């Protein structure tokens, strides 16, 4: 009896027992304990296939090592989920909606958004004003990840990513690295959150050794198992082609 986690209730144990894969079950058990998930939050993470989405960007050993607190996130890929699932916003599936609507709903659902982002995130600013000589710019959202010890900047796009979007985000990252970041902190990460992205365009726009800019798709509904399988196969093919 003493091996049971006191912070879990019966509903959470039932949710864990329903997971047949040993590694997957251990991941959700560790993450639920580390982040004090409620039963509802745990079910949401299982339904959104958090474990499978993490495996799209990291190998199984790294994912479990971070859950066991044996390893801290070191790269953007270990921090950023692609895709991000934002079904909790309740936005309608319209052909067009304003980026300000998306930003407002993310702030209104900040607790759920941080849950989706993952471990160590704290909110810093919305529409952060920066001044470069006589030109002013506004960064959509700024977070800080205390585990990775770095700022994480979000730019929101309700369409497909363009090379201009990536260039603007790179400027924001450079500004934070040169003006805001302390000497002992790690380089800033920039995340372009968009509804669609051309992976080849992203790779060709950014330097070959890029390790600070990430384009991540978001969707306003929970993914199906078939969608996740298709995404895994796509990533595997990209890895094989790159060899």
């Amino acid at each position: 009896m003493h091996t049971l986690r006191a912070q879990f209730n019966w509903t959470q144990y039932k949710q864990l027992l329903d997971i047949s894969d040993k590694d997957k079950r251990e991941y959700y058990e560790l993450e639920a304990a580390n982040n004090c998930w409620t039963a509802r939050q745990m079910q949401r993470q299982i339904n959104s296939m958090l474990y499978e989405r993490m495996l799209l960007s990291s190998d199984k050993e790294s994912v479990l090592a971070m859950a066991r607190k044996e390893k801290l996130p070191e790269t953007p890929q270990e921090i950023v989920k692609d895709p991000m699932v934002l079904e909790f916003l309740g936005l309608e599936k319209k052909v067009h909606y304003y980026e300000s609507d998306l930003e407002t709903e993310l702030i209104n659902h900040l607790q759920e958004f941080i849950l989706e982002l993952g471990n160590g995130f704290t909110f810093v600013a919305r529409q952060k004003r920066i001044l470069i000589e006589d030109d002013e710019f506004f960064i959509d959202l700024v977070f800080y990840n205390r585990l990775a010890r770095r700022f994480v900047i979000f730019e929101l796009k309700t369409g497909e990513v363009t090379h201009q979007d990536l260039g603007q985000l790179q400027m924001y990252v450079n500004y934070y690295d040169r003006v805001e970041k302390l000497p002992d902190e790690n380089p800033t990460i920039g995340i372009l959150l968009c509804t669609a992205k051309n992976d080849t365009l992203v790779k060709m726009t950014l330097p070959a050794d890029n390790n600070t800019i990430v384009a991540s798709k978001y969707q306003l509904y929970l993914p199906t198992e078939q969608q996740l399988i298709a995404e895994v196969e796509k990533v595997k093919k990209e890895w094989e082609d790159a060899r």
Side-chain angles (χ1 to χ4, degrees):
M1 181 175 67
H2 295 293
T3 63
L4 298 178
R5 292 185 180 270
Q7 68 267 48
F8 286 178
N9 57 39
W10 169 244
T11 301
Q12 289 172 301
Y13 276 112
K14 184 177 184 303
Q15 291 167 348
L16 292 170
L17 289 170
D18 286 340
I19 301 174
S20 58
D21 183 277
K22 178 176 66 69
D23 292 331
K24 181 177 177 179
R25 184 171 59 248
E26 180 188 3
Y27 173 77
Y28 283 115
E29 178 186 352
L30 291 170
E31 288 295 277
N34 292 339
N35 296 285
C36 298
W37 288 348
T38 64
R40 182 177 180 180
Q41 289 171 331
M42 180 190 285
Q43 192 61 58
R44 188 264 169 190
Q45 297 291 49
I46 294 172
N47 289 345
S48 70
M49 300 184 182
L50 173 63
Y51 178 70
E52 288 81 358
R53 287 188 289 135
M54 292 301 298
L55 291 183
L56 288 176
S57 53
S58 299
D59 59 87
K60 182 185 294 187
E61 288 72 22
S62 293
V63 169
L64 289 175
M66 286 188 286
R68 293 167 182 157
K69 296 185 177 180
E70 299 171 349
K71 178 180 184 294
L72 291 176
E74 299 172 352
T75 67
Q77 289 72 27
E78 291 175 331
I79 295 175
V80 182
K81 302 179 184 69
D82 186 16
M84 287 193 186
V85 180
L86 308 178
E87 91 293 344
F88 51 84
L89 299 181
L91 288 172
E92 297 180 18
K93 299 177 185 179
K94 297 179 180 177
V95 178
H96 298 290
Y97 53 90
Y98 293 108
E99 289 161 10
S100 60
D101 295 335
L102 176 61
E103 180 184 315
T104 297
E105 290 306 315
L106 287 174
I107 294 298
N108 289 342
H109 296 81
L110 189 58
Q111 181 179 0
E112 293 92 339
F113 186 41
I114 289 178
L115 176 68
E116 171 64 12
L117 292 179
N119 296 335
F121 277 91
T122 57
F123 176 66
V124 176
R126 173 190 186 185
Q127 288 296 305
K128 170 69 174 178
R129 178 180 179 270
I130 62 173
L131 195 64
I132 302 177
E133 292 190 356
D134 294 331
D135 295 325
E136 64 177 4
F137 301 88
F138 295 88
I139 303 174
D140 288 341
L141 298 171
V142 181
F143 287 80
Y144 189 84
N145 189 290
R146 62 182 183 83
L147 299 180
R149 300 192 71 251
R150 65 176 84 209
F151 286 102
V152 182
I153 291 172
F154 281 86
E155 276 295 290
L156 310 176
K157 301 296 174 185
T158 55
E160 187 168 358
V161 61
T162 68
H163 66 279
Q164 292 95 333
D165 297 330
L166 293 166
Q168 183 181 40
L169 182 55
Q170 183 69 70
M171 180 183 70
Y172 294 160
V173 167
N174 293 343
Y175 176 89
Y176 255 77
D177 278 346
R178 298 169 190 177
V179 177
E180 300 284 348
K181 183 179 79 68
L182 297 177
D184 62 337
E185 291 179 322
N186 292 316
T188 304
I189 291 176
I191 302 174
L192 193 61
L193 203 55
C194 52
T195 54
K197 63 187 176 81
N198 182 325
D199 289 323
T200 302
L201 181 145
V202 173
K203 291 177 182 178
M204 295 301 292
T205 301
L206 299 173
D209 59 350
N210 164 65
N211 203 29
T212 59
I213 303 293
V214 179
S216 175
K217 293 184 295 185
Y218 68 88
Q219 56 191 58
L220 302 175
Y221 52 89
L222 292 175
T224 64
E225 184 176 359
Q226 290 73 22
Q227 288 174 318
L228 262 295
I229 292 174
E231 192 70 25
V232 169
E233 293 302 322
K234 177 185 174 183
V235 172
K236 283 183 180 179
K237 186 177 187 303
E238 289 176 352
W239 286 345
E240 293 170 356
D241 293 344
R243 290 178 180 176

